[in-house]
Amino acid sequence: MLVANGTVQHLFDSHGNWIAFRRGKFVFDTSGNWIGWLPWSDNDVVDTEGQYLGTIHSKNRLYRHSYRPYRGYPGYPGYPGYPGYPGYPGFAGYSPLPSGMTDVALAGAEK
């Protein structure tokens, strides 16, 4: 899913809690801290160290595959700068986890 640089995509866990947002290829926690990015032309997110963080599913869910093959070092995209406040999206509602997936554990995310 392509998201334009100025467009915000709010990301939720399976419980419907807002845990992160995406602006362009960069992903931030709810406080605006850069936590990862999308280096490939798919929905896999790597953290700022280049390690697999999770995958965006169903347009607005951030889940983690229990097993994900190593895809190689994705490089470094450069620091994205401050993303601005994305606005509070509210509650997204419960969505069952797909088989073999877990919620992404982010420091400071609501539980």
Side-chain angles (χ1 to χ4, degrees):
M1 168 193 295
L2 182 63
V3 175
N5 281 336
T7 304
V8 172
Q9 179 185 23
H10 293 93
L11 302 171
F12 301 87
D13 65 11
S14 65
H15 301 285
N17 297 315
W18 176 43
I19 59 169
F21 67 96
R22 173 183 176 187
R23 197 178 288 271
K25 68 179 179 180
F26 297 103
V27 179
F28 303 87
D29 67 14
T30 58
S31 298
N33 299 308
W34 178 41
I35 59 170
W37 62 293
L38 291 91
W40 300 290
S41 58
D42 59 17
N43 290 330
D44 281 352
V45 179
V46 298
D47 65 18
T48 58
E49 302 294 320
Q51 299 297 311
Y52 174 70
L53 178 67
T55 302
I56 299 172
H57 281 270
S58 304
K59 299 182 183 177
N60 69 350
R61 303 294 172 145
L62 183 59
Y63 299 145
R64 183 176 175 83
H65 286 274
S66 299
Y67 171 75
R68 199 66 162 173
Y70 182 67
R71 296 177 72 173
Y73 180 65
Y76 183 75
Y79 184 71
Y82 181 67
Y85 183 67
Y88 179 68
F91 181 72
Y94 177 76
S95 179
L97 284 165
S99 180
M101 304 198 86
T102 60
D103 282 318
V104 173
L106 298 176
E110 282 185 46
K111 289 292 167 201

